[in-house]
Amino acid sequence: MPNIENLRKQAKTYLRWHRQRYHPVAAQIRWILPGYRDQSDREILEADFKLSDAQELVARKHGFANWPALIKGIEAMTDTPVLNSNGSFIISAQPQLFVADLDAAFRFYIQQLGFHVAFSYGEPPFYAQVFRDGACLNLRKVGVPAFNAGFRAREVDALSATLTLDDPKPLFLEFQAAGVAFHQSLRTEPWGARTFIVRDPDGNLIAFSGGEI
């Protein structure tokens, strides 16, 4: 857990992104803040988004109901090492996946895995982002297959992205009911995590992992 100064920096970063009309932040605002749940990207980016809203977003991302509760929780953790507030803090990671057919990728991630489109660029689109809850995947269209047959034959379990969640079993059952084909079924790994892997139409392997036993 970051220290208070880094939390303030995160909130100011979200506020700046909103003012700069940075579309990916709209998806996070819609997912995390209930008041924006039914709004489009345009409505969110045109809204009067204040620092207090950005602070609430940061608090909820860390599992607290509001900013004061987050600050109180941080202050109570007296045995947590303090991070260097003068350094940079990585807010999120967004894996980039190479796809040969963006429409096929949309059908897989949206219709089968329950993701939503955060944005797409180009006419026709060549770059897009899909998200579900707090996970974002960037899709980059390429003119050739993302993986050749030789690579997949040698590296059968080379992951393109790992998405972490508290308990992967409910999502595994949801995907199973939707007819998703699994590269690896749900299993308990030697280190205790429960993991399953899906393979998208371009051969990207996406692992869903969490719920240590």
Side-chain angles (χ1 to χ4, degrees):
M1 176 99 40
N3 64 16
I4 295 174
E5 185 60 30
N6 275 326
L7 295 171
R8 292 195 178 100
K9 289 181 179 180
Q10 289 181 52
K12 290 178 181 178
T13 297
Y14 282 119
L15 182 63
R16 184 178 72 253
W17 284 349
H18 181 272
R19 290 175 176 172
Q20 293 173 344
R21 301 298 188 263
Y22 179 54
H23 271 266
V25 79
Q28 295 194 50
I29 292 172
R30 178 171 45 247
W31 169 64
I32 295 173
L33 298 182
Y36 295 88
R37 192 63 48 85
D38 299 322
Q39 295 187 21
S40 66
D41 284 5
R42 181 177 180 180
E43 290 172 327
I44 293 173
L45 294 176
E46 291 179 351
D48 184 18
F49 190 77
K50 302 180 178 66
L51 179 60
S52 59
D53 298 313
Q55 290 173 336
E56 182 183 352
L57 188 151
V58 172
R60 287 177 175 270
K61 285 193 70 173
H62 287 282
F64 293 84
N66 50 52
W67 182 256
L70 173 60
I71 298 302
K72 184 177 180 180
I74 294 295
E75 291 175 342
M77 298 174 66
T78 56
D79 57 345
T80 299
V82 176
L83 301 181
N84 180 8
S85 62
N86 295 322
S88 298
F89 182 82
I90 297 175
I91 294 176
S92 64
Q94 299 175 5
Q96 179 164 275
L97 310 180
F98 296 110
V99 301
D101 187 335
L102 199 54
D103 288 334
F106 279 158
R107 288 193 295 271
F108 176 76
Y109 286 102
I110 296 169
Q111 297 177 14
Q112 295 193 52
L113 302 192
F115 280 69
H116 303 277
V117 176
F119 64 85
S120 63
Y121 291 136
E123 288 292 341
F126 64 89
Y127 193 79
Q129 184 182 90
V130 294
F131 72 96
R132 174 165 177 164
D133 302 328
C136 297
L137 299 173
N138 295 324
L139 307 178
R140 177 67 166 89
K141 184 177 180 180
V142 293
V144 297
F147 302 101
N148 62 44
F151 174 82
R152 271 295 169 224
R154 296 189 307 271
E155 306 291 341
V156 294
D157 291 324
L159 298 176
S160 296
T162 298
L163 308 184
T164 303
L165 56 165
D166 52 355
D167 182 2
K169 185 175 181 179
L171 191 61
F172 172 79
L173 295 176
E174 176 189 324
F175 288 174
Q176 190 176 57
V180 175
F182 296 98
H183 177 78
Q184 174 194 297
S185 188
L186 181 67
R187 74 183 187 191
T188 300
E189 305 291 354
W191 53 90
R194 305 179 77 186
T195 303
F196 68 88
I197 301 172
V198 300
R199 179 173 179 167
D200 76 1
D202 290 279
N204 290 293
L205 299 181
I206 315 299
F208 296 82
S209 180
E212 291 188 356
I213 299 177

